[in-house]
Amino acid sequence: IGCVWVCIGHSERREGFGMAGEDSELVAKKVKVALDAGLKVMFAIGEKKEERENGTTNDVCASQLAPAAKLLEEKDWENVAIAYEPVWAIGTGLTATPEMAQETHAYIRKWVSENVSEAVAKAVRIQYGGSMKGANAKDLLAQPDIDGGLIGGASLKADFFNVVNGVSQDE
């Protein structure tokens, strides 16, 4: 049907729609099946508001990444991008500060370096997906470990052009 990319691990699949949801092991298996079928994967991870407030953001992200790190071969990661989507920011209008987002992205990159490989950590694209909009895109995208934005519903609004305009023209 012409699909190239698939998003796997989104919070609404992990928990939502009145269902128990997909655990991290199932998400990892789906990532592997998609890659083996020739698709590229946007692998979504992120914490809930209470997990952010409890200081367990990094633990949550690591627990969501770990099953994939065990299942995927190093070459598989060439076709994976990681989307850090703080669940508390999706569609709420709330967003992590650029510093908060950078701190989490840097942790994810370090985790990948220690648990997959340094080469994968340097190459993998880690995108921010928590209510990026025109007002915050430039500051978020200026962070060294934020490689782009995964824009959902906001892409349907005129403000999306302000997000696009927030991308550095130097690259």
Side-chain angles (χ1 to χ4, degrees):
I1 59 175
C3 293
V4 177
W5 282 88
V6 61
C7 182
I8 299 175
H10 193 276
S11 63
E12 290 173 340
R13 296 293 305 170
R14 289 182 185 267
E15 183 177 308
F17 301 113
M19 62 180 188
E22 299 173 350
D23 63 27
S24 295
E25 287 74 23
L26 177 58
V27 170
K29 289 175 187 172
K30 290 175 84 173
V31 169
K32 182 65 173 158
V33 167
L35 292 168
D36 289 348
L39 293 166
K40 296 178 186 235
V41 175
M42 182 62 61
F43 178 32
I45 64 170
E47 84 284 6
K48 299 177 201 166
K49 187 175 183 188
E50 59 271 17
E51 293 164 333
R52 167 61 71 174
E53 291 170 347
N54 291 338
T56 59
T57 295
N58 292 345
D59 294 335
V60 171
C61 290
S63 72
Q64 293 172 346
L65 288 164
K70 290 177 186 158
L71 193 59
L72 302 182
E73 297 174 30
E74 188 166 339
K75 68 177 179 57
D76 288 331
W77 289 91
E78 294 172 8
N79 292 306
V80 174
I82 298 170
Y84 167 61
E85 296 192 292
V87 178
W88 51 270
I90 299 171
T92 65
L94 300 173
T95 190
T97 65
E99 296 78 18
M100 289 167 63
Q102 168 56 27
E103 180 180 293
T104 305
H105 279 241
Y107 172 79
I108 292 165
R109 197 170 305 282
K110 179 177 181 256
W111 190 95
V112 171
S113 179
E114 293 171 352
N115 294 276
V116 180
S117 79
E118 189 173 332
V120 169
K122 287 180 180 177
V124 72
R125 179 173 294 277
I126 306 173
Q127 300 191 148
Y128 179 75
S131 292
M132 186 181 288
K133 50 191 171 245
N136 62 20
K138 185 174 182 181
D139 291 336
L140 285 163
L141 294 170
Q143 302 304 309
D145 289 295
I146 298 178
D147 299 318
L150 179 63
I151 315 302
S155 67
L156 303 174
K157 299 177 181 172
D159 185 52
F160 179 66
F161 292 104
N162 296 319
V163 173
V164 173
N165 290 331
V167 175
S168 171
Q169 301 300 312
D170 299 334
E171 296 179 28

PDB file of all heavy atoms in Angstrom, residues 81-113:
ATOM      1  N   ALA A  81      13.790   5.373  14.346  1.00  0.00           N
ATOM      2  CA  ALA A  81      13.920   6.673  14.993  1.00  0.00           C
ATOM      3  C   ALA A  81      13.162   6.560  16.310  1.00  0.00           C
ATOM      4  O   ALA A  81      12.145   5.870  16.393  1.00  0.00           O
ATOM      5  CB  ALA A  81      13.328   7.770  14.129  1.00  0.00           C
ATOM      6  N   ILE A  82      13.678   7.192  17.340  1.00  0.00           N
ATOM      7  CA  ILE A  82      13.024   7.169  18.652  1.00  0.00           C
ATOM      8  C   ILE A  82      12.268   8.483  18.823  1.00  0.00           C
ATOM      9  O   ILE A  82      12.817   9.559  18.574  1.00  0.00           O
ATOM     10  CB  ILE A  82      14.058   6.998  19.785  1.00  0.00           C
ATOM     11  CG1 ILE A  82      14.796   5.670  19.636  1.00  0.00           C
ATOM     12  CG2 ILE A  82      13.377   7.103  21.161  1.00  0.00           C
ATOM     13  CD1 ILE A  82      15.999   5.516  20.554  1.00  0.00           C
ATOM     14  N   ALA A  83      11.016   8.373  19.219  1.00  0.00           N
ATOM     15  CA  ALA A  83      10.215   9.562  19.516  1.00  0.00           C
ATOM     16  C   ALA A  83       9.996   9.603  21.027  1.00  0.00           C
ATOM     17  O   ALA A  83       9.320   8.744  21.577  1.00  0.00           O
ATOM     18  CB  ALA A  83       8.878   9.505  18.800  1.00  0.00           C
ATOM     19  N   TYR A  84      10.620  10.574  21.684  1.00  0.00           N
ATOM     20  CA  TYR A  84      10.345  10.781  23.106  1.00  0.00           C
ATOM     21  C   TYR A  84       9.105  11.643  23.199  1.00  0.00           C
ATOM     22  O   TYR A  84       9.088  12.802  22.785  1.00  0.00           O
ATOM     23  CB  TYR A  84      11.526  11.441  23.818  1.00  0.00           C
ATOM     24  CG  TYR A  84      11.143  11.950  25.191  1.00  0.00           C
ATOM     25  CD1 TYR A  84      10.681  11.061  26.168  1.00  0.00           C
ATOM     26  CD2 TYR A  84      11.188  13.291  25.507  1.00  0.00           C
ATOM     27  CE1 TYR A  84      10.280  11.514  27.418  1.00  0.00           C
ATOM     28  CE2 TYR A  84      10.802  13.756  26.758  1.00  0.00           C
ATOM     29  CZ  TYR A  84      10.349  12.867  27.699  1.00  0.00           C
ATOM     30  OH  TYR A  84       9.958  13.320  28.934  1.00  0.00           O
ATOM     31  N   GLU A  85       8.027  11.032  23.709  1.00  0.00           N
ATOM     32  CA  GLU A  85       6.763  11.724  23.842  1.00  0.00           C
ATOM     33  C   GLU A  85       6.300  11.660  25.292  1.00  0.00           C
ATOM     34  O   GLU A  85       5.718  10.662  25.713  1.00  0.00           O
ATOM     35  CB  GLU A  85       5.697  11.072  22.956  1.00  0.00           C
ATOM     36  CG  GLU A  85       5.978  11.163  21.480  1.00  0.00           C
ATOM     37  CD  GLU A  85       4.762  10.774  20.670  1.00  0.00           C
ATOM     38  OE1 GLU A  85       4.384   9.594  20.698  1.00  0.00           O
ATOM     39  OE2 GLU A  85       4.186  11.661  20.035  1.00  0.00           O
ATOM     40  N   PRO A  86       6.578  12.702  26.070  1.00  0.00           N
ATOM     41  CA  PRO A  86       6.045  12.699  27.427  1.00  0.00           C
ATOM     42  C   PRO A  86       4.526  12.652  27.357  1.00  0.00           C
ATOM     43  O   PRO A  86       3.904  13.547  26.780  1.00  0.00           O
ATOM     44  CB  PRO A  86       6.563  14.004  28.035  1.00  0.00           C
ATOM     45  CG  PRO A  86       7.003  14.846  26.888  1.00  0.00           C
ATOM     46  CD  PRO A  86       7.293  13.939  25.742  1.00  0.00           C
ATOM     47  N   VAL A  87       3.947  11.599  27.898  1.00  0.00           N
ATOM     48  CA  VAL A  87       2.505  11.372  27.767  1.00  0.00           C
ATOM     49  C   VAL A  87       1.714  12.564  28.306  1.00  0.00           C
ATOM     50  O   VAL A  87       0.691  12.948  27.732  1.00  0.00           O
ATOM     51  CB  VAL A  87       2.102  10.052  28.475  1.00  0.00           C
ATOM     52  CG1 VAL A  87       0.599   9.824  28.400  1.00  0.00           C
ATOM     53  CG2 VAL A  87       2.858   8.872  27.866  1.00  0.00           C
ATOM     54  N   TRP A  88       2.211  13.161  29.362  1.00  0.00           N
ATOM     55  CA  TRP A  88       1.518  14.282  29.988  1.00  0.00           C
ATOM     56  C   TRP A  88       1.467  15.519  29.089  1.00  0.00           C
ATOM     57  O   TRP A  88       0.721  16.454  29.357  1.00  0.00           O
ATOM     58  CB  TRP A  88       2.166  14.630  31.325  1.00  0.00           C
ATOM     59  CG  TRP A  88       3.659  14.825  31.268  1.00  0.00           C
ATOM     60  CD1 TRP A  88       4.620  13.868  31.450  1.00  0.00           C
ATOM     61  CD2 TRP A  88       4.350  16.034  30.998  1.00  0.00           C
ATOM     62  NE1 TRP A  88       5.870  14.417  31.305  1.00  0.00           N
ATOM     63  CE2 TRP A  88       5.729  15.741  31.029  1.00  0.00           C
ATOM     64  CE3 TRP A  88       3.953  17.334  30.722  1.00  0.00           C
ATOM     65  CZ2 TRP A  88       6.713  16.706  30.811  1.00  0.00           C
ATOM     66  CZ3 TRP A  88       4.934  18.295  30.498  1.00  0.00           C
ATOM     67  CH2 TRP A  88       6.290  17.973  30.548  1.00  0.00           C
ATOM     68  N   ALA A  89       2.240  15.525  28.005  1.00  0.00           N
ATOM     69  CA  ALA A  89       2.278  16.683  27.118  1.00  0.00           C
ATOM     70  C   ALA A  89       1.528  16.463  25.810  1.00  0.00           C
ATOM     71  O   ALA A  89       1.324  17.416  25.065  1.00  0.00           O
ATOM     72  CB  ALA A  89       3.724  17.062  26.820  1.00  0.00           C
ATOM     73  N   ILE A  90       1.113  15.238  25.528  1.00  0.00           N
ATOM     74  CA  ILE A  90       0.476  14.956  24.243  1.00  0.00           C
ATOM     75  C   ILE A  90      -0.946  15.511  24.228  1.00  0.00           C
ATOM     76  O   ILE A  90      -1.798  15.082  25.006  1.00  0.00           O
ATOM     77  CB  ILE A  90       0.470  13.443  23.939  1.00  0.00           C
ATOM     78  CG1 ILE A  90       1.894  12.913  23.863  1.00  0.00           C
ATOM     79  CG2 ILE A  90      -0.281  13.169  22.648  1.00  0.00           C
ATOM     80  CD1 ILE A  90       1.972  11.394  23.779  1.00  0.00           C
ATOM     81  N   GLY A  91      -1.172  16.472  23.380  1.00  0.00           N
ATOM     82  CA  GLY A  91      -2.504  17.040  23.201  1.00  0.00           C
ATOM     83  C   GLY A  91      -3.031  17.847  24.367  1.00  0.00           C
ATOM     84  O   GLY A  91      -4.194  18.231  24.367  1.00  0.00           O
ATOM     85  N   THR A  92      -2.187  18.106  25.362  1.00  0.00           N
ATOM     86  CA  THR A  92      -2.653  18.839  26.538  1.00  0.00           C
ATOM     87  C   THR A  92      -2.319  20.319  26.472  1.00  0.00           C
ATOM     88  O   THR A  92      -2.832  21.107  27.256  1.00  0.00           O
ATOM     89  CB  THR A  92      -2.011  18.275  27.823  1.00  0.00           C
ATOM     90  OG1 THR A  92      -0.595  18.502  27.770  1.00  0.00           O
ATOM     91  CG2 THR A  92      -2.313  16.798  27.994  1.00  0.00           C
ATOM     92  N   GLY A  93      -1.422  20.667  25.559  1.00  0.00           N
ATOM     93  CA  GLY A  93      -0.927  22.037  25.514  1.00  0.00           C
ATOM     94  C   GLY A  93       0.265  22.234  26.427  1.00  0.00           C
ATOM     95  O   GLY A  93       0.968  23.229  26.330  1.00  0.00           O
ATOM     96  N   LEU A  94       0.491  21.286  27.338  1.00  0.00           N
ATOM     97  CA  LEU A  94       1.680  21.332  28.182  1.00  0.00           C
ATOM     98  C   LEU A  94       2.862  20.826  27.367  1.00  0.00           C
ATOM     99  O   LEU A  94       2.691  20.013  26.463  1.00  0.00           O
ATOM    100  CB  LEU A  94       1.509  20.436  29.413  1.00  0.00           C
ATOM    101  CG  LEU A  94       0.353  20.745  30.350  1.00  0.00           C
ATOM    102  CD1 LEU A  94       0.230  19.659  31.413  1.00  0.00           C
ATOM    103  CD2 LEU A  94       0.557  22.112  30.994  1.00  0.00           C
ATOM    104  N   THR A  95       4.034  21.294  27.683  1.00  0.00           N
ATOM    105  CA  THR A  95       5.226  20.793  27.012  1.00  0.00           C
ATOM    106  C   THR A  95       6.393  20.843  27.976  1.00  0.00           C
ATOM    107  O   THR A  95       6.411  21.651  28.905  1.00  0.00           O
ATOM    108  CB  THR A  95       5.536  21.607  25.732  1.00  0.00           C
ATOM    109  OG1 THR A  95       6.553  20.939  24.989  1.00  0.00           O
ATOM    110  CG2 THR A  95       5.959  23.019  26.039  1.00  0.00           C
ATOM    111  N   ALA A  96       7.334  19.960  27.760  1.00  0.00           N
ATOM    112  CA  ALA A  96       8.559  20.010  28.556  1.00  0.00           C
ATOM    113  C   ALA A  96       9.310  21.282  28.177  1.00  0.00           C
ATOM    114  O   ALA A  96       9.245  21.729  27.030  1.00  0.00           O
ATOM    115  CB  ALA A  96       9.416  18.780  28.255  1.00  0.00           C
ATOM    116  N   THR A  97      10.017  21.852  29.128  1.00  0.00           N
ATOM    117  CA  THR A  97      10.886  22.969  28.767  1.00  0.00           C
ATOM    118  C   THR A  97      11.990  22.412  27.867  1.00  0.00           C
ATOM    119  O   THR A  97      12.265  21.194  27.879  1.00  0.00           O
ATOM    120  CB  THR A  97      11.532  23.603  30.011  1.00  0.00           C
ATOM    121  OG1 THR A  97      12.402  22.634  30.619  1.00  0.00           O
ATOM    122  CG2 THR A  97      10.480  24.084  31.014  1.00  0.00           C
ATOM    123  N   PRO A  98      12.631  23.259  27.088  1.00  0.00           N
ATOM    124  CA  PRO A  98      13.743  22.758  26.276  1.00  0.00           C
ATOM    125  C   PRO A  98      14.807  22.043  27.118  1.00  0.00           C
ATOM    126  O   PRO A  98      15.359  21.024  26.697  1.00  0.00           O
ATOM    127  CB  PRO A  98      14.299  24.024  25.624  1.00  0.00           C
ATOM    128  CG  PRO A  98      13.102  24.927  25.525  1.00  0.00           C
ATOM    129  CD  PRO A  98      12.326  24.656  26.790  1.00  0.00           C
ATOM    130  N   GLU A  99      15.038  22.536  28.314  1.00  0.00           N
ATOM    131  CA  GLU A  99      16.030  21.914  29.193  1.00  0.00           C
ATOM    132  C   GLU A  99      15.574  20.531  29.664  1.00  0.00           C
ATOM    133  O   GLU A  99      16.377  19.595  29.714  1.00  0.00           O
ATOM    134  CB  GLU A  99      16.316  22.826  30.399  1.00  0.00           C
ATOM    135  CG  GLU A  99      16.941  24.156  30.042  1.00  0.00           C
ATOM    136  CD  GLU A  99      15.959  25.194  29.477  1.00  0.00           C
ATOM    137  OE1 GLU A  99      14.734  25.047  29.654  1.00  0.00           O
ATOM    138  OE2 GLU A  99      16.430  26.148  28.831  1.00  0.00           O
ATOM    139  N   MET A 100      14.309  20.409  30.021  1.00  0.00           N
ATOM    140  CA  MET A 100      13.770  19.100  30.433  1.00  0.00           C
ATOM    141  C   MET A 100      13.846  18.096  29.282  1.00  0.00           C
ATOM    142  O   MET A 100      14.254  16.948  29.465  1.00  0.00           O
ATOM    143  CB  MET A 100      12.301  19.234  30.876  1.00  0.00           C
ATOM    144  CG  MET A 100      12.089  19.942  32.186  1.00  0.00           C
ATOM    145  SD  MET A 100      10.342  20.404  32.444  1.00  0.00           S
ATOM    146  CE  MET A 100       9.525  18.841  32.494  1.00  0.00           C
ATOM    147  N   ALA A 101      13.434  18.547  28.102  1.00  0.00           N
ATOM    148  CA  ALA A 101      13.452  17.667  26.938  1.00  0.00           C
ATOM    149  C   ALA A 101      14.883  17.265  26.600  1.00  0.00           C
ATOM    150  O   ALA A 101      15.161  16.084  26.339  1.00  0.00           O
ATOM    151  CB  ALA A 101      12.786  18.346  25.749  1.00  0.00           C
ATOM    152  N   GLN A 102      15.810  18.208  26.629  1.00  0.00           N
ATOM    153  CA  GLN A 102      17.213  17.899  26.338  1.00  0.00           C
ATOM    154  C   GLN A 102      17.771  16.900  27.342  1.00  0.00           C
ATOM    155  O   GLN A 102      18.467  15.956  26.959  1.00  0.00           O
ATOM    156  CB  GLN A 102      18.057  19.179  26.328  1.00  0.00           C
ATOM    157  CG  GLN A 102      19.567  18.952  26.331  1.00  0.00           C
ATOM    158  CD  GLN A 102      20.087  18.090  25.197  1.00  0.00           C
ATOM    159  OE1 GLN A 102      19.494  18.017  24.128  1.00  0.00           O
ATOM    160  NE2 GLN A 102      21.207  17.413  25.432  1.00  0.00           N
ATOM    161  N   GLU A 103      17.465  17.097  28.602  1.00  0.00           N
ATOM    162  CA  GLU A 103      17.960  16.181  29.637  1.00  0.00           C
ATOM    163  C   GLU A 103      17.493  14.752  29.357  1.00  0.00           C
ATOM    164  O   GLU A 103      18.282  13.806  29.444  1.00  0.00           O
ATOM    165  CB  GLU A 103      17.458  16.649  31.006  1.00  0.00           C
ATOM    166  CG  GLU A 103      17.897  15.784  32.166  1.00  0.00           C
ATOM    167  CD  GLU A 103      17.342  16.319  33.481  1.00  0.00           C
ATOM    168  OE1 GLU A 103      17.762  17.415  33.897  1.00  0.00           O
ATOM    169  OE2 GLU A 103      16.481  15.630  34.074  1.00  0.00           O
ATOM    170  N   THR A 104      16.240  14.587  28.989  1.00  0.00           N
ATOM    171  CA  THR A 104      15.714  13.253  28.712  1.00  0.00           C
ATOM    172  C   THR A 104      16.294  12.698  27.417  1.00  0.00           C
ATOM    173  O   THR A 104      16.676  11.524  27.362  1.00  0.00           O
ATOM    174  CB  THR A 104      14.173  13.272  28.671  1.00  0.00           C
ATOM    175  OG1 THR A 104      13.688  13.821  29.906  1.00  0.00           O
ATOM    176  CG2 THR A 104      13.610  11.872  28.484  1.00  0.00           C
ATOM    177  N   HIS A 105      16.399  13.514  26.393  1.00  0.00           N
ATOM    178  CA  HIS A 105      16.999  13.058  25.132  1.00  0.00           C
ATOM    179  C   HIS A 105      18.447  12.633  25.337  1.00  0.00           C
ATOM    180  O   HIS A 105      18.885  11.619  24.784  1.00  0.00           O
ATOM    181  CB  HIS A 105      16.909  14.163  24.073  1.00  0.00           C
ATOM    182  CG  HIS A 105      15.577  14.249  23.405  1.00  0.00           C
ATOM    183  ND1 HIS A 105      15.410  14.074  22.062  1.00  0.00           N
ATOM    184  CD2 HIS A 105      14.338  14.495  23.906  1.00  0.00           C
ATOM    185  CE1 HIS A 105      14.126  14.207  21.759  1.00  0.00           C
ATOM    186  NE2 HIS A 105      13.465  14.472  22.866  1.00  0.00           N
ATOM    187  N   ALA A 106      19.196  13.409  26.122  1.00  0.00           N
ATOM    188  CA  ALA A 106      20.591  13.057  26.399  1.00  0.00           C
ATOM    189  C   ALA A 106      20.663  11.730  27.150  1.00  0.00           C
ATOM    190  O   ALA A 106      21.542  10.894  26.870  1.00  0.00           O
ATOM    191  CB  ALA A 106      21.271  14.164  27.200  1.00  0.00           C
ATOM    192  N   TYR A 107      19.742  11.530  28.090  1.00  0.00           N
ATOM    193  CA  TYR A 107      19.711  10.251  28.809  1.00  0.00           C
ATOM    194  C   TYR A 107      19.425   9.099  27.844  1.00  0.00           C
ATOM    195  O   TYR A 107      20.069   8.047  27.905  1.00  0.00           O
ATOM    196  CB  TYR A 107      18.661  10.259  29.930  1.00  0.00           C
ATOM    197  CG  TYR A 107      18.515   8.888  30.530  1.00  0.00           C
ATOM    198  CD1 TYR A 107      19.442   8.423  31.447  1.00  0.00           C
ATOM    199  CD2 TYR A 107      17.507   8.024  30.105  1.00  0.00           C
ATOM    200  CE1 TYR A 107      19.360   7.125  31.951  1.00  0.00           C
ATOM    201  CE2 TYR A 107      17.422   6.741  30.601  1.00  0.00           C
ATOM    202  CZ  TYR A 107      18.346   6.294  31.525  1.00  0.00           C
ATOM    203  OH  TYR A 107      18.268   5.006  31.999  1.00  0.00           O
ATOM    204  N   ILE A 108      18.457   9.266  26.958  1.00  0.00           N
ATOM    205  CA  ILE A 108      18.109   8.219  25.993  1.00  0.00           C
ATOM    206  C   ILE A 108      19.329   7.886  25.136  1.00  0.00           C
ATOM    207  O   ILE A 108      19.660   6.714  24.931  1.00  0.00           O
ATOM    208  CB  ILE A 108      16.903   8.646  25.123  1.00  0.00           C
ATOM    209  CG1 ILE A 108      15.635   8.731  25.982  1.00  0.00           C
ATOM    210  CG2 ILE A 108      16.714   7.682  23.943  1.00  0.00           C
ATOM    211  CD1 ILE A 108      14.482   9.473  25.307  1.00  0.00           C
ATOM    212  N   ARG A 109      20.013   8.908  24.645  1.00  0.00           N
ATOM    213  CA  ARG A 109      21.195   8.680  23.808  1.00  0.00           C
ATOM    214  C   ARG A 109      22.281   7.939  24.599  1.00  0.00           C
ATOM    215  O   ARG A 109      22.913   7.017  24.092  1.00  0.00           O
ATOM    216  CB  ARG A 109      21.721  10.005  23.254  1.00  0.00           C
ATOM    217  CG  ARG A 109      22.672   9.803  22.083  1.00  0.00           C
ATOM    218  CD  ARG A 109      23.024  11.091  21.364  1.00  0.00           C
ATOM    219  NE  ARG A 109      21.921  11.886  20.879  1.00  0.00           N
ATOM    220  CZ  ARG A 109      21.220  11.638  19.772  1.00  0.00           C
ATOM    221  NH1 ARG A 109      21.491  10.574  19.039  1.00  0.00           N
ATOM    222  NH2 ARG A 109      20.240  12.447  19.408  1.00  0.00           N
ATOM    223  N   LYS A 110      22.485   8.327  25.854  1.00  0.00           N
ATOM    224  CA  LYS A 110      23.478   7.649  26.708  1.00  0.00           C
ATOM    225  C   LYS A 110      23.068   6.192  26.933  1.00  0.00           C
ATOM    226  O   LYS A 110      23.897   5.282  26.872  1.00  0.00           O
ATOM    227  CB  LYS A 110      23.593   8.391  28.044  1.00  0.00           C
ATOM    228  CG  LYS A 110      24.564   7.769  29.028  1.00  0.00           C
ATOM    229  CD  LYS A 110      24.649   8.631  30.295  1.00  0.00           C
ATOM    230  CE  LYS A 110      25.625   8.052  31.276  1.00  0.00           C
ATOM    231  NZ  LYS A 110      24.995   7.374  32.386  1.00  0.00           N
ATOM    232  N   TRP A 111      21.784   5.965  27.188  1.00  0.00           N
ATOM    233  CA  TRP A 111      21.291   4.611  27.412  1.00  0.00           C
ATOM    234  C   TRP A 111      21.531   3.746  26.171  1.00  0.00           C
ATOM    235  O   TRP A 111      21.984   2.611  26.275  1.00  0.00           O
ATOM    236  CB  TRP A 111      19.805   4.633  27.779  1.00  0.00           C
ATOM    237  CG  TRP A 111      19.308   3.297  28.247  1.00  0.00           C
ATOM    238  CD1 TRP A 111      19.202   2.878  29.543  1.00  0.00           C
ATOM    239  CD2 TRP A 111      18.893   2.196  27.427  1.00  0.00           C
ATOM    240  NE1 TRP A 111      18.741   1.579  29.573  1.00  0.00           N
ATOM    241  CE2 TRP A 111      18.550   1.138  28.301  1.00  0.00           C
ATOM    242  CE3 TRP A 111      18.771   1.997  26.067  1.00  0.00           C
ATOM    243  CZ2 TRP A 111      18.092  -0.098  27.832  1.00  0.00           C
ATOM    244  CZ3 TRP A 111      18.322   0.771  25.598  1.00  0.00           C
ATOM    245  CH2 TRP A 111      17.987  -0.260  26.482  1.00  0.00           C
ATOM    246  N   VAL A 112      21.221   4.291  25.004  1.00  0.00           N
ATOM    247  CA  VAL A 112      21.441   3.547  23.759  1.00  0.00           C
ATOM    248  C   VAL A 112      22.931   3.246  23.596  1.00  0.00           C
ATOM    249  O   VAL A 112      23.306   2.136  23.217  1.00  0.00           O
ATOM    250  CB  VAL A 112      20.869   4.319  22.545  1.00  0.00           C
ATOM    251  CG1 VAL A 112      21.295   3.671  21.232  1.00  0.00           C
ATOM    252  CG2 VAL A 112      19.343   4.389  22.636  1.00  0.00           C
ATOM    253  N   SER A 113      23.785   4.195  23.914  1.00  0.00           N
ATOM    254  CA  SER A 113      25.229   3.977  23.813  1.00  0.00           C
ATOM    255  C   SER A 113      25.679   2.829  24.708  1.00  0.00           C
ATOM    256  O   SER A 113      26.480   1.982  24.299  1.00  0.00           O
ATOM    257  CB  SER A 113      25.974   5.261  24.199  1.00  0.00           C
ATOM    258  OG  SER A 113      27.368   5.057  24.126  1.00  0.00           O
TER     259      SER A 113
END
